[in-house]
Amino acid sequence: MLPPIGKPPCRSFDADMPDNVVILDLARFTDRDIARIAALAGKLKLMHRWYRCERSTLPGADRFVVFSGDRSQTPYACYRIERIEDGAYRLVDHRSGEMLAASRSIGPILDALPADFYHAAPAPSADRRPKP
C-alpha cells in the first residue's frame, strides 16, 4: 500500500550528518515520463478524440490530470497520474478519488487507463419498449 499524499515517509537524520548530502526528490516526473504522457495526445488524435492535461506539483507529489473526450453528449474521461515521494506511480479516477493502479514504473500505469479514456461509451438504446 502506498502512503497517502502529503505524508512524508519516516526519515531520520543524524545531527552529525555531513552538510554535502543531497536528498533526492523522487516525487518529480522524469523527462521520459513527461514524453510518454504527451504521446497520449498523438494516440488520441488518431482516434478523433480531444485530449488535455494539466500538471500540478505539490510537496511530496507531482501529478498530471489527463482529460479525454469526443464531441458527443457522453461525458469526458478524467484521470490523475501521480508520482509520490518514494518514486511510485498511481492512477486515480479524478472524479471519485478511487485508486485504479499503483506501480513502480509509468508503463503499467498508462496501460491501466480505462477504456473510456480511449473510446466513448455506447449510447443508450433508443428502443424504450418494455421487454415481454
Side-chain angles (χ1 to χ4, degrees):
M1 189 72 169
L2 298 173
I5 291 178
K7 274 193 168 177
C10 296
R11 291 185 184 170
S12 62
F13 298 105
D14 296 329
D16 59 344
M17 189 178 232
D19 291 339
N20 63 349
V21 174
V22 176
I23 300 171
L24 295 177
D25 183 12
L26 298 176
R28 298 192 53 86
F29 284 102
T30 64
D31 292 339
R32 183 177 285 176
D33 295 340
I34 294 169
R36 290 193 66 183
I37 292 171
L40 288 173
K43 184 186 284 189
L44 291 168
K45 184 178 180 182
L46 293 173
M47 296 177 170
H48 301 286
R49 292 180 65 84
W50 58 264
Y51 170 80
R52 188 180 88 205
C53 70
E54 298 173 356
R55 183 178 185 183
S56 63
T57 304
L58 303 169
D62 198 2
R63 68 174 56 162
F64 275 97
V65 180
V66 291
F67 304 89
S68 168
D70 57 6
R71 289 161 183 84
S72 68
Q73 295 180 357
T74 58
Y76 59 87
C78 182
Y79 297 96
R80 223 171 34 235
I81 301 169
E82 301 174 341
R83 182 156 181 184
I84 57 175
E85 195 170 49
D86 67 350
Y89 297 86
R90 290 193 242 188
L91 177 64
V92 179
D93 186 331
H94 191 63
R95 289 189 177 106
S96 68
E98 175 187 1
M99 186 169 60
L100 304 175
S103 178
R104 299 294 299 171
S105 63
I106 197 161
I109 296 298
L110 296 179
D111 293 341
L113 280 167
D116 71 336
F117 188 75
Y118 298 105
H119 309 287
S125 173
D127 185 16
R128 299 189 186 264
R129 292 178 291 173
K131 295 183 180 181

